[in-house]
Amino acid sequence: MMSWRIENGLALVGGQWSAQPVEVSGARIAAAGEAAGARRLDARGLLVLPGIIDIHGDAFERHIMPRPGVRFDMTLALRDTDRALVANGITTAFHGVTISWEPGLRSLEAARGFVGALLALRAGLACDTRLHLRWETFALEAVAQVREWLELGPAPILAINDHTTGSVLKGTIARKIGQMAERAGISREEYMALLDRVWAARDAVPAAIESLAASARANGNVLLAHDEDSPAERARFRALGAVASEFPMTQETAEAARAAGEDVILGAPNVVRGGSHNGALSASEAIAAGRCTVLTSDYHYPSPLYAAFTLAGGDREALARFWPLISSNPARVARLADRGSLETGRRADLLLVDASDMAHPEVVATMVAGRIVYARRALERQSAGLAQAAE
């Protein structure tokens, strides 16, 4: 069991900056002096931050299919994704695997392949990698399989998604039809014909939603609702057990969730890019108004780290206030009480960051459960001990 004493850095502990060493004994943060025989790690000039917890990320899809029709082996994709996660300071990741009625990348068949590969590889991955099952409500033939997956350990998150209604009724999703067809590997005309057939089964959808929500409640899975477009829809999914609003479509919906004491989840790329790429809510504005409590990678793994620093605007005290958006707050939503902060007894999930340029922070090292899983060599401030630990 390895012990560490991380010295000379500036650590974010309990929402405050501390120059005291961070001690690690095995997989946990230890009390001062508890880590007997600890190996010293010099973090001079670096910030020591709680690990990033990403509860909604599907950038792995680009590792599987970097171009339409170009697919790679699931094992290769997951291992490559794992390296990208820890290099960007993400220590816990919930992969958002979509289970849809579409053929191709988001089909039930593809989801089965992905889940199987993840279960086979999970123990050997550097990042604590889990499942976020994004069930499309019109994928009625997938209900039994999703219900079975809900019983996996560690317990997956279940998110209720409906991108079908918006496509049919010419809502905000309709303009993505071409992109969806390309992803599915069929022509636009074939996609539209398939969409018509799927839409014809809409009367069966409400019962399927209620059935899977009941299974999630009974099994103790975290249930989320995606793309809610009104306070009424938030109330509907709240009644089904959805504990947070994921990517609400309107400010009023976000306000309703916050008024009920619920978390609101938005994408970190929205902050980094200065707005939504598809005209949705501004995450920065929602955070400033108290309408967003959690940021996720969404489709870009570097964004959570960059979003926290972007929001801080070069102010270290502000960074301490915004860091919970990507650490302790998502831990709360995912019911992971053992991580999200550097307090004694928590899992030793942390990262060392060079913030000498606050606009472009760099992850120097990432630790997961007390083990250094990523270390960047080419940094003058990096100690010899850190370089050796990564070997």
Side-chain angles (χ1 to χ4, degrees), residues 143 147 150 158 209-221:
V143 169
R147 183 177 288 112
L150 291 178
L158 174 64
I209 293 173
E210 291 183 12
S211 173
L212 264 188
S215 294
R217 292 195 306 272
N219 198 57
N221 302 91

Side-chain angles (χ1 to χ4, degrees), residues 56-62 95-96 98 106 134 297-299 301:
H56 173 120
D58 61 24
F60 67 84
E61 289 186 337
R62 260 61 74 193
H95 282 339
T98 299
R106 293 186 168 181
R134 303 182 62 205
S297 72
D298 197 5
Y299 55 87
Y301 293 134

Side-chain angles (χ1 to χ4, degrees), residues 236-251:
R236 173 191 169 209
F237 285 112
R238 178 184 301 125
L240 290 174
V243 298
S245 183
E246 189 183 43
F247 295 79
M249 302 298 288
T250 67
Q251 294 285 5

Side-chain angles (χ1 to χ4, degrees), residues 241-311:
V243 298
S245 183
E246 189 183 43
F247 295 79
M249 302 298 288
T250 67
Q251 294 285 5
E252 293 76 17
T253 306
E255 287 175 357
R258 296 298 298 130
E262 297 161 339
D263 284 283
V264 173
I265 303 163
L266 294 174
N270 186 312
V271 173
V272 176
R273 297 181 67 255
S276 169
H277 70 285
N278 61 9
L281 298 185
S282 163
S284 295
E285 291 177 6
I287 292 165
R291 300 186 190 117
C292 172
T293 56
V294 173
L295 290 174
T296 73
S297 72
D298 197 5
Y299 55 87
H300 188 243
Y301 293 134
S303 281
L305 174 75
Y306 265 72
F309 278 86
T310 297
L311 290 164

Side-chain angles (χ1 to χ4, degrees), residues 280-354:
L281 298 185
S282 163
S284 295
E285 291 177 6
I287 292 165
R291 300 186 190 117
C292 172
T293 56
V294 173
L295 290 174
T296 73
S297 72
D298 197 5
Y299 55 87
H300 188 243
Y301 293 134
S303 281
L305 174 75
Y306 265 72
F309 278 86
T310 297
L311 290 164
D315 182 342
R316 198 166 62 204
E317 295 307 315
L319 179 64
R321 295 195 304 273
F322 289 120
W323 196 259
L325 291 166
I326 58 173
S327 57
S328 57
N329 291 1
R332 179 181 65 235
V333 173
R335 299 175 188 156
L336 299 175
D338 65 340
R339 65 197 74 184
S341 76
L342 299 183
E343 296 175 50
T344 301
R346 299 293 177 93
R347 250 175 68 119
D349 291 353
L350 57 86
L351 52 150
L352 307 185
V353 175
D354 177 4

Side-chain angles (χ1 to χ4, degrees), residues 57-318:
D58 61 24
F60 67 84
E61 289 186 337
R62 260 61 74 193
H63 294 262
I64 298 171
M65 185 183 286
R67 293 183 177 179
V70 177
R71 296 190 65 129
F72 285 89
D73 174 76
M74 290 285 190
T75 297
L76 171 61
L78 277 167
R79 286 178 174 164
D80 196 28
T81 297
D82 187 53
R83 288 187 285 269
L85 288 166
V86 295
N88 286 291
I90 297 172
T91 54
T92 302
F94 285 82
H95 282 339
V97 56
T98 299
I99 304 103
S100 176
W101 45 264
E102 294 179 356
L105 182 63
R106 293 186 168 181
S107 65
L108 176 57
E109 178 185 8
R112 283 178 173 141
F114 181 87
V115 172
L118 179 58
L119 293 179
L121 292 171
R122 185 177 182 275
L125 297 176
C127 181
D128 184 357
T129 307
R130 302 172 177 231
L131 281 170
H132 175 137
L133 301 171
R134 303 182 62 205
W135 172 64
E136 286 289 339
T137 59
F138 281 71
L140 300 174
E141 76 288 352
V143 169
Q145 177 65 87
V146 174
R147 183 177 288 112
E148 182 179 323
W149 283 335
L150 291 178
E151 297 180 3
L152 292 172
I157 289 173
L158 174 64
I160 297 173
N161 294 254
D162 179 9
H163 292 121
T164 306
T165 300
S167 300
V168 171
L169 301 181
K170 313 301 180 185
T172 56
I173 301 169
R175 62 188 177 192
K176 295 184 178 181
I177 292 293
Q179 174 187 331
M180 291 172 168
E182 194 173 59
R183 180 180 64 212
I186 57 179
S187 70
R188 184 185 179 92
E189 292 71 23
E190 289 171 324
Y191 190 93
M192 293 301 293
L194 175 58
L195 182 57
D196 286 342
R197 294 196 296 273
V198 168
W199 181 247
R202 59 189 177 277
D203 289 345
V205 169
I209 293 173
E210 291 183 12
S211 173
L212 264 188
S215 294
R217 292 195 306 272
N219 198 57
N221 302 91
V222 172
L223 180 64
L224 305 177
H226 187 79
D227 283 357
E228 295 167 314
D229 63 8
S230 69
E233 192 164 54
R234 172 85 287 264
R236 173 191 169 209
F237 285 112
R238 178 184 301 125
L240 290 174
V243 298
S245 183
E246 189 183 43
F247 295 79
M249 302 298 288
T250 67
Q251 294 285 5
E252 293 76 17
T253 306
E255 287 175 357
R258 296 298 298 130
E262 297 161 339
D263 284 283
V264 173
I265 303 163
L266 294 174
N270 186 312
V271 173
V272 176
R273 297 181 67 255
S276 169
H277 70 285
N278 61 9
L281 298 185
S282 163
S284 295
E285 291 177 6
I287 292 165
R291 300 186 190 117
C292 172
T293 56
V294 173
L295 290 174
T296 73
S297 72
D298 197 5
Y299 55 87
H300 188 243
Y301 293 134
S303 281
L305 174 75
Y306 265 72
F309 278 86
T310 297
L311 290 164
D315 182 342
R316 198 166 62 204
E317 295 307 315

